[in-house]
Amino acid sequence: MYKNDFRYIDHVSDVMVEAFGSSLSQAFEQSARALTNIMCDVSRVDPQKSITIEISGFDKKSLLYNWLESVLLSLLVDNLALAEFNIKIRKSNGVFQLHGVCKGEQFLRNKHNYKVEVKAITYHEMKILRRRDKWTIRFIVDL
């Protein structure tokens, strides 16, 4: 069973997400899971299909933005609901790189309990914090 380590915080007309992990990669994985769960019930997604997402960013925030945008587009464009994530993050020549293996299945509105459409990921109030052995990511999605 895949553990949810995220929460939603009330925020005007948008949704603020806080995701946690013992590593930066785990916090990114939980961020993607939380994003998908805004739109549909991730507990109903069977990890039948595997895809690879490779993205980069000039810093951690741009990497997070690009990662979440890729997960969002998988659902909105490719009609693929992703629920399990295994990613690796590294920095090479000053650029952050993410390699992710993501599992999910074709999105079915009734099976996955469609909730709401996410319009966009935002940089507004985005934070990536490390305190001792715990990473916390905070971001807002536009509904």
Side-chain angles (χ1 to χ4, degrees):
M1 181 56 99
Y2 207 90
K3 179 186 174 215
N4 290 337
D5 199 3
F6 58 82
R7 68 183 180 142
Y8 302 111
I9 300 168
D10 288 335
H11 188 273
V12 192
S13 63
D14 300 324
V15 175
M16 179 178 282
V17 177
E18 252 187 2
F20 311 97
S22 59
S23 68
L24 182 60
S25 293
Q26 285 181 352
F28 268 60
E29 291 166 2
Q30 289 297 323
S31 295
R33 190 162 167 85
L35 173 63
T36 302
N37 196 61
I38 291 170
M39 298 177 285
C40 68
D41 187 347
V42 291
S43 68
R44 293 181 173 194
V45 177
D46 295 321
Q48 299 174 356
K49 182 176 181 177
S50 181
I51 65 166
T52 299
I53 295 176
E54 292 185 338
I55 51 103
S56 60
F58 61 88
D59 62 8
K60 290 179 191 129
K61 285 183 180 179
S62 66
L63 186 71
L64 177 64
Y65 180 91
N66 294 340
W67 164 242
L68 294 173
E69 187 175 65
S70 295
V71 172
L72 177 61
L73 289 175
S74 290
L75 183 61
L76 298 180
V77 175
D78 301 328
N79 204 38
L80 184 62
L82 300 172
E84 292 186 10
F85 306 91
N86 185 347
I87 69 170
K88 295 194 180 352
I89 297 172
R90 67 184 183 100
K91 188 174 181 182
S92 177
N93 297 322
V95 176
F96 287 89
Q97 298 173 336
L98 181 150
H99 174 88
V101 176
C102 312
K103 294 182 179 180
E105 67 178 333
Q106 179 183 0
F107 174 70
L108 300 170
R109 185 177 287 267
N110 292 331
K111 177 184 179 188
H112 299 121
N113 191 26
Y114 177 76
K115 299 175 186 176
V116 66
E117 182 176 338
V118 170
K119 293 179 188 173
I121 310 303
T122 71
Y123 276 101
H124 182 65
E125 295 189 46
M126 184 181 281
K127 293 184 175 147
I128 301 173
L129 306 167
R130 182 179 184 183
R131 290 197 178 107
R132 297 188 188 138
D133 293 335
K134 187 170 189 173
W135 287 85
T136 301
I137 291 176
R138 181 179 282 186
F139 62 96
I140 294 174
V141 296
D142 183 18
L143 302 179

